Amino acid sequence: MDAIRIVGGRRLAGRVRVSGAKNAALPILCATLLSEGESHLRNVPRLQDIETTAALLHTLGRPVDCKPPEVTVFAPTTIHPEAPYDLVTKMRASVLVLGPLVARYGRARVSLPGGCQIGTRPIDQHLKGLEALGATIAIEHGYVVASAKRLRGAELVLDMATVTGTENLMMAAALAQGRSHIVNAAREPEVVELARVLNKMGAKVSGAGTGVIQIEGAAELAPFDHAIVSDRIEAGTYMVAVAAAGGEALLEGVPVEDLEALIAKLRAARVVVEPDGTGVRVARDGRLHSVDVTTSPHPGFPTDMQAQFMVLMCLADKTARMSETVFENRFMHVPELGRMGADIEVSGHTAFVKGVSGLSAANVMATDLRASASLVIAGLVAEGETLVSRVYHLDRGYEAMEEKLGALGANVVRVRGGSV
Ligand code: EPZ
């Protein structure tokens, strides 16, 4: 397993371009299953999760030419609607094939994803919604076994605004007979992007981005050609990296309209964030100011930015209260940051982050995707050499992070096989 070595203490300067959004590309790749034709995706990030999804589509009988930023999903050879345990446990988002397979082929056998580091992450809302659409669902030997003649439109009321739950049910409803409503739907930009693609395919989806999405199902759906939107979480991660290390940078392709909550908190922390042509200029010179943060579903402060923003608050002037309301165990970065000199007390779902004068380099271990990004940012700040182990977590969601940080003047290198 690889590690990343960072020699910190340098201010950042330069420009970097944001890649395509992982959490938009994953459901859109699964949406190709709704049509028999050949679909083309552009601006796809070069990430492990994209490779995993391509492998899954292959397993299901859909050949894929995966050369990011271009990915082509070909017409099916023979469909084998089973998503195996080894692929689903590698990437929970594999559950997104369930809705399309049941809707298109009337059957699916998908491994239950199981929990992960940040929480138990059940999929009960996905299954309840598919049953409301007319599917028969059974759990057998750790697999979801689903079948349906033809799905029928229904009123789907979610207990919480689950992102992939909303996406799974949108895709299933797109081939159901009649109209469906998803009430208490997720409002994330990636849901809006999926709706754009489903409409390109011939479904009639309206209300995406609001709490109620209406879907008129179609008898069949056409293949599509689509360029993926920029990744708002990758963009936010680099904004925080510049703010933490200090300096100034131009980030190109930042979807500012999708980052209002984060940008408001960065500005409150005395970080300069200014639209600049096709990008955003981020700068920080003086002492950061502590600001309280509570994560919540979009358009609130993104849970996927909590770990990164916490590093910023480690350097601020007072104490910041950071509450994580979306996942039950998303503070694994805290003990690792503590080993770098951070002063953080966790009480339940709230971390009290007391600003310190600086961080000190250490060997640390990544535990999940966004926690690994926060440890890299901490390494940029800490004087000396930080080694972040198990960066396969990072490779799932950040394209060429070492190169992009290098372009901003950071001293970051990948150590092959360097993990402890
Ligand atoms: C998506 O995960 C993202 N992944 C996550 O990004 C992101 O953190 C999360 O949404 C929240 O924004 C993708 O889009 C591929 P949820 P998802 O269902 O859909 C509970 C990253 O770092 N819940 O919105 O799995 C669940 O336990 C990843 O890129 C149920 O109880 O998240 C959680 O507490 C990490 N039952 C809450 O809802 C269900 O059936 C929100 O989860 C579904 C969810």
Side-chain angles (χ1 to χ4, degrees), residues 22-24 26-27 49 91-96 116 118-128 159-167 186 188 190 231-233 296-298 302-304 325-328 330 368-370 396-398:
K22 163 178 91 81
N23 290 350
L26 298 180
D49 276 7
M91 186 190 68
R92 311 177 33 74
S94 306
V95 74
L96 285 167
C116 76
I118 62 178
T120 51
R121 302 187 72 187
I123 59 166
D124 56 298
Q125 302 294 304
H126 302 236
L127 304 183
K128 203 173 82 171
D159 294 347
M160 82 288 297
T162 157
V163 175
T164 50
T166 301
E167 291 165 347
E188 271 67 6
E190 295 75 26
D231 191 321
R232 62 192 172 97
I233 302 300
S296 61
H298 195 78
T303 174
D304 291 350
T325 70
V326 177
F327 290 109
E328 61 263 35
R330 204 168 195 178
D368 65 270
L369 171 55
R370 307 304 173 181
R396 291 193 47 197
Y398 289 97

Side-chain angles (χ1 to χ4, degrees), residues 328-409:
E328 61 263 35
N329 184 34
R330 204 168 195 178
F331 284 145
M332 268 86 52
H333 43 288
V334 171
E336 294 303 289
L337 292 174
R339 297 182 58 246
M340 298 180 73
D343 182 349
I344 306 167
E345 290 286 319
V346 172
S347 168
H349 290 281
T350 300
F352 296 88
V353 186
K354 189 172 183 303
V356 293
S357 55
L359 296 175
S360 59
N363 288 355
V364 289
M365 194 170 291
T367 53
D368 65 270
L369 171 55
R370 307 304 173 181
S372 49
S374 77
L375 296 176
V376 171
I377 293 171
L380 294 173
V381 174
E383 291 292 340
E385 187 175 293
T386 294
L387 193 71
V388 180
S389 292
R390 301 189 180 177
V391 288
Y392 59 86
H393 292 293
L394 204 67
D395 296 338
R396 291 193 47 197
Y398 289 97
E399 181 177 33
M401 183 175 251
E402 1 9 332
E403 286 83 356
K404 292 190 177 186
L405 288 173
L408 294 175

